[in-house]
Amino acid sequence: KQLNNMNLLDFKRIFVYDAYSTKLGSVEHISSYLFENKYRGEFNYYSFPVSFIPHGDVRDLYLKYELDNLSVYKKIEEKLKKDRD
């Protein structure tokens, strides 16, 4: 299928990486859509926790909350590897 003809519900597994928000941002909208449409696949998201986050260097915060590109990549890779084993 071409991407523009695909529906989000067609995917067996969905990963959302939103390093600029909490799960109450875009992740909440996507998960609500999936729930309302009885999505049966696996939904994974990576975003900041819903809690106070002290001010600091953005790179340090990404590392602390494992939202840097490499950490998220490794988490996704590990989930996919479990399926192959």
Side-chain angles (χ1 to χ4, degrees):
K1 291 182 180 181
Q2 292 182 2
L3 189 56
N4 59 355
N5 290 335
M6 296 183 83
N7 184 321
L8 192 58
L9 302 173
D10 293 336
F11 291 91
K12 182 172 92 171
R13 180 180 292 111
I14 299 170
F15 294 94
V16 174
Y17 173 52
D18 186 356
Y20 305 104
S21 183
T22 68
K23 73 175 189 174
L24 297 178
S26 58
V27 170
E28 182 176 16
H29 293 287
I30 295 168
S31 62
S32 292
Y33 171 82
L34 296 173
F35 177 77
E36 290 168 6
N37 289 280
K38 297 175 178 48
Y39 177 67
R40 298 289 183 232
E42 181 183 332
F43 179 63
N44 302 275
Y45 64 88
Y46 306 97
S47 61
F48 281 104
V50 181
S51 62
F52 176 75
I53 297 176
H55 181 73
D57 180 74
V58 174
R59 286 176 296 209
D60 292 340
L61 292 172
Y62 285 159
L63 289 170
K64 177 179 179 178
Y65 293 98
E66 297 181 331
L67 290 173
D68 59 291
N69 293 338
L70 184 58
S71 294
V72 173
Y73 176 83
K74 286 180 179 179
K75 289 178 189 179
I76 292 172
E77 186 176 50
E78 187 174 311
K79 284 189 176 280
L80 295 174
K81 184 179 184 283
K82 286 181 184 176
D83 284 353
R84 289 185 295 238
D85 294 342

